[in-house]
Amino acid sequence: MFKKITLCSALVSAVALTGCTVHNTTSSDNLIDIYRVEKFVTPGKTTLAEVRELIGTPGLAGKTLQGKDFVGFAVVGERSYGEAAARGVGDILSFGLIDDDEKHFTQKNVYFVLDDNKVVQDIKFNGHAYIMHMDSKTYNLCQRQLNEKELRSTHKLTKDEIINSWKKEIIETKPSSIVTIAEDKKKPIEELAYDDVFYPICGQACYLQHGAFEAFGKYTNEELNIYGGRQPNDGSKKALLGL
C-alpha cells in the first residue's frame, strides 16, 4: 500500500499532467536565471504583448482576489535519470527521454500582474524541484520549493541534489506528515529513503498553479493550458532570455 502525503493538495488528478505552455531548456546542465526577465520587463511600461514576445504563450491566467489579472509562465529543466537524448513534442520541447521510470525537474515560474490596459504592474517569481515516478504507479518524490539562490542560479539541479536538499529540509522542519511516515516505517526521519515518501502526481501545469497560489494566495478566473490562444509573435524574442 502506498502512503501518500498531500503537500500538492487537490490539484493532482486531471490537471497534474496538463500540457500547459512551458519553455524547456536543452539537456545541458544550465537553466536560466529566472530574474533575467527583469532586464527586459519594466513595471508600468512593458505590455503583455511585449512579455509574450519575450517568453511565449502564458501557461496560466487568473485574477487575484484584489481584482488584478495575472499571467504565469514556467521555464523547466527536465531529465530522465539516465540523462537521455532530446526529443521534440510539437512546439513545446520536452528534453530527456524516459530511459527508466523517473524524471527529475527544476521548474522556475514567473507571474506578471497586469493593469486594465494589459501593462505589467508587478512581477512574482518562484519555483519547484521534484522527481516524477511513472510506471504502473505514478506519483512524485522529493518535491520542494526552490530558494532565492536557486531561482537566480543557472545550474539545473541533479537528481542527487534534489534528494539531498529535500532530505535536509524534512530533517530540519519535521513536517507532521513525514513524522507519521517515519513512525509507520519505524525509522528516524534521518534514515528515510527518498522513495519512502510519495506525493500525489503533480506536473508542470500543476506546479504553475501552486506557484500562483504561493504568489497571490487564493485566486479566481483560472485558465490553464491556454496554448490554443497562441499569438503569432509569441516567443519571437525569447532568445534574449536564452530560451
Side-chain angles (χ1 to χ4, degrees), residues 52-99:
R52 292 177 69 133
E53 287 180 352
L54 181 67
I55 308 179
T57 309
L60 172 69
K63 187 183 289 289
T64 70
L65 294 186
Q66 292 72 41
K68 294 291 186 179
D69 291 326
F70 70 87
V71 292
F73 301 81
V75 179
V76 183
E78 171 186 343
R79 283 186 178 174
S80 66
Y81 189 31
E83 313 295 314
R87 62 181 169 86
V89 181
D91 202 76
I92 303 173
L93 297 179
S94 296
F95 291 93
L97 294 173
I98 305 174
D99 60 355

Side-chain angles (χ1 to χ4, degrees), residues 189-241:
I189 289 179
E190 291 80 0
E191 293 181 11
L192 285 176
Y194 85 96
D195 54 357
D196 280 335
V197 181
F198 301 159
Y199 300 79
I201 185 66
C202 189
Q204 296 166 1
C206 178
Y207 283 109
L208 194 58
Q209 291 173 300
H210 279 292
F213 183 80
E214 290 160 10
F216 307 111
K218 291 182 179 179
Y219 61 91
T220 64
N221 293 41
E222 180 180 82
E223 187 177 359
L224 190 65
N225 191 22
I226 58 178
Y227 190 71
R230 184 182 181 188
Q231 297 175 2
N233 289 330
D234 282 359
S236 61
K237 297 181 180 179
K238 64 182 182 181
L240 294 173
L241 289 179

